[in-house]
Amino acid sequence: MKEGVLTGTHDGPWTHLATAKDFGTKVGVRAKLRLASGNALKLRVNGNKEAIFATWSSYATSGAGFAGNDHVKIPVGQWVELVVVNDGGRARVWLDGVGVFDVANAWSDGADGALGLGVEKGVIEVKEWVTFEP
Protein backbone atom coordinates (compact mmCIF):
# COMPACT_ATOMS: atom_id res chain seq x y z
CA MET A 1 0.00 0.00 0.00
CA LYS A 2 1.24 3.42 -0.94
CA GLU A 3 -0.86 6.43 0.11
CA GLY A 4 -4.06 4.35 0.18
CA VAL A 5 -3.38 2.71 -3.19
CA LEU A 6 -2.55 -0.98 -3.56
CA THR A 7 0.41 -1.18 -5.94
CA GLY A 8 1.62 -4.34 -7.64
CA THR A 9 4.73 -4.66 -9.77
CA HIS A 10 5.99 -7.57 -11.84
CA ASP A 11 8.55 -7.80 -14.64
CA GLY A 12 7.63 -11.27 -15.90
CA PRO A 13 4.69 -13.05 -17.49
CA TRP A 14 1.86 -13.00 -14.87
CA THR A 15 1.67 -12.62 -11.12
CA HIS A 16 -1.54 -12.67 -9.08
CA LEU A 17 -3.08 -11.68 -5.77
CA ALA A 18 -6.16 -13.57 -4.59
CA THR A 19 -8.71 -13.22 -1.84
CA ALA A 20 -8.53 -15.62 1.07
CA LYS A 21 -12.30 -16.09 0.82
CA ASP A 22 -14.04 -18.13 -1.89
CA PHE A 23 -17.14 -16.78 -3.62
CA GLY A 24 -20.03 -18.54 -5.38
CA THR A 25 -20.79 -18.47 -9.10
CA LYS A 26 -22.96 -15.37 -8.79
CA VAL A 27 -20.38 -12.73 -7.93
CA GLY A 28 -19.23 -9.38 -9.24
CA VAL A 29 -16.25 -7.09 -8.71
CA ARG A 30 -16.09 -3.36 -9.34
CA ALA A 31 -12.55 -2.03 -9.29
CA LYS A 32 -11.12 1.44 -9.80
CA LEU A 33 -7.57 0.91 -10.99
CA ARG A 34 -4.96 1.71 -13.57
CA LEU A 35 -2.25 -0.04 -15.48
CA ALA A 36 0.45 2.49 -14.61
CA SER A 37 2.84 0.81 -17.04
CA GLY A 38 3.19 -2.50 -18.81
CA ASN A 39 1.30 -4.94 -21.00
CA ALA A 40 -1.88 -6.13 -19.33
CA LEU A 41 -3.95 -6.73 -16.22
CA LYS A 42 -6.64 -9.22 -15.34
CA LEU A 43 -9.46 -9.72 -12.88
CA ARG A 44 -10.36 -13.26 -11.84
CA VAL A 45 -13.59 -14.62 -10.45
CA ASN A 46 -14.13 -18.13 -9.10
CA GLY A 47 -10.42 -18.87 -9.09
CA ASN A 48 -9.72 -19.12 -12.82
CA LYS A 49 -12.42 -17.30 -14.79
CA GLU A 50 -10.59 -14.30 -16.22
CA ALA A 51 -11.24 -10.96 -17.86
CA ILE A 52 -7.95 -9.77 -19.37
CA PHE A 53 -7.35 -6.18 -20.39
CA ALA A 54 -4.28 -5.70 -22.58
CA THR A 55 -2.90 -2.67 -24.38
CA TRP A 56 -3.78 -4.37 -27.70
CA SER A 57 -7.12 -6.10 -26.92
CA SER A 58 -9.43 -7.51 -24.23
CA TYR A 59 -10.23 -11.17 -23.56
CA ALA A 60 -12.46 -13.32 -21.39
CA THR A 61 -11.95 -17.00 -20.77
CA SER A 62 -14.72 -18.99 -22.40
CA GLY A 63 -14.72 -22.73 -21.87
CA ALA A 64 -11.30 -24.01 -23.00
CA GLY A 65 -10.60 -20.87 -25.06
CA PHE A 66 -11.03 -17.11 -25.06
CA ALA A 67 -13.54 -14.59 -26.35
CA GLY A 68 -11.77 -11.51 -27.72
CA ASN A 69 -12.65 -7.84 -28.21
CA ASP A 70 -10.10 -5.93 -30.29
CA HIS A 71 -12.04 -2.67 -29.93
CA VAL A 72 -11.58 -2.25 -26.17
CA LYS A 73 -8.04 -1.85 -24.83
CA ILE A 74 -6.76 -0.82 -21.40
CA PRO A 75 -5.29 2.70 -21.54
CA VAL A 76 -1.88 2.88 -19.87
CA GLY A 77 -1.65 5.46 -17.07
CA GLN A 78 -5.37 6.26 -16.94
CA TRP A 79 -7.67 5.43 -13.99
CA VAL A 80 -10.58 3.26 -15.13
CA GLU A 81 -13.53 1.44 -13.60
CA LEU A 82 -13.78 -2.27 -14.41
CA VAL A 83 -16.80 -4.39 -13.59
CA VAL A 84 -16.49 -8.16 -13.95
CA VAL A 85 -19.49 -10.37 -13.19
CA ASN A 86 -20.02 -14.11 -13.17
CA ASP A 87 -23.80 -14.23 -13.31
CA GLY A 88 -24.26 -17.96 -12.78
CA GLY A 89 -22.01 -18.80 -15.74
CA ARG A 90 -22.68 -15.75 -17.91
CA ALA A 91 -19.52 -13.63 -18.28
CA ARG A 92 -20.37 -9.92 -18.16
CA VAL A 93 -17.62 -7.29 -18.30
CA TRP A 94 -17.57 -3.49 -18.55
CA LEU A 95 -14.77 -0.91 -18.86
CA ASP A 96 -15.82 2.62 -17.84
CA GLY A 97 -19.48 1.73 -18.44
CA VAL A 98 -18.89 0.31 -21.93
CA GLY A 99 -19.86 -3.32 -22.42
CA VAL A 100 -16.83 -5.43 -23.30
CA PHE A 101 -18.32 -8.94 -22.99
CA ASP A 102 -21.69 -10.54 -22.39
CA VAL A 103 -21.11 -14.22 -23.12
CA ALA A 104 -23.71 -16.79 -22.06
CA ASN A 105 -22.31 -19.99 -20.52
CA ALA A 106 -18.68 -18.79 -20.79
CA TRP A 107 -18.09 -19.45 -17.10
CA SER A 108 -20.79 -22.10 -16.55
CA ASP A 109 -18.18 -24.72 -15.58
CA GLY A 110 -17.06 -22.52 -12.68
CA ALA A 111 -17.15 -23.47 -9.04
CA ASP A 112 -16.72 -21.51 -5.84
CA GLY A 113 -13.34 -19.80 -5.81
CA ALA A 114 -11.28 -16.76 -4.97
CA LEU A 115 -11.35 -13.37 -6.62
CA GLY A 116 -8.05 -12.15 -7.97
CA LEU A 117 -6.02 -9.53 -9.72
CA GLY A 118 -3.02 -10.00 -11.98
CA VAL A 119 -0.45 -7.94 -13.85
CA GLU A 120 1.86 -8.85 -16.73
CA LYS A 121 5.18 -7.04 -17.14
CA GLY A 122 4.04 -3.85 -15.49
CA VAL A 123 2.67 -1.88 -12.57
CA ILE A 124 -0.97 -1.91 -11.48
CA GLU A 125 -2.52 0.47 -8.94
CA VAL A 126 -5.88 -0.17 -7.26
CA LYS A 127 -7.74 2.44 -5.25
CA GLU A 128 -11.11 0.68 -4.91
CA TRP A 129 -12.28 -2.97 -4.91
CA VAL A 130 -15.92 -3.80 -4.20
CA THR A 131 -17.56 -7.21 -4.41
CA PHE A 132 -21.31 -7.64 -4.96
CA GLU A 133 -23.91 -10.25 -5.79
CA PRO A 134 -25.54 -9.66 -9.20
Side-chain angles (χ1 to χ4, degrees):
M1 293 291 290
K2 235 195 282 190
E3 297 176 16
V5 175
L6 175 66
T7 302
T9 302
H10 190 61
D11 62 0
W14 283 103
T15 190
H16 301 91
L17 289 176
T19 60
K21 176 183 175 185
D22 284 349
F23 293 82
T25 58
K26 286 185 93 50
V27 64
V29 174
R30 182 177 57 80
K32 290 186 182 178
L33 48 75
R34 73 175 169 180
L35 181 63
S37 65
N39 290 348
L41 63 87
K42 69 171 87 167
L43 271 70
R44 283 181 167 174
V45 294
N46 305 110
N48 62 355
K49 305 305 176 192
E50 300 176 337
I52 302 168
F53 302 90
T55 56
W56 57 89
S57 187
S58 295
Y59 307 90
T61 54
S62 182
F66 290 90
N69 184 333
D70 293 338
H71 302 290
V72 179
K73 303 165 179 77
I74 191 80
V76 176
Q78 181 179 326
W79 289 100
V80 297
E81 181 177 83
L82 298 178
V83 177
V84 177
V85 177
N86 182 354
D87 194 359
R90 182 181 206 111
R92 303 179 79 196
V93 179
W94 293 266
L95 171 66
D96 283 339
V98 174
V100 181
F101 297 104
D102 188 355
V103 184
N105 300 316
W107 295 340
S108 60
D109 62 343
D112 290 3
L115 304 176
L117 179 66
V119 64
E120 179 185 53
K121 296 182 184 172
V123 177
I124 186 173
E125 298 173 330
V126 183
K127 61 180 170 181
E128 190 172 330
W129 178 277
V130 178
T131 60
F132 62 91
E133 186 176 325

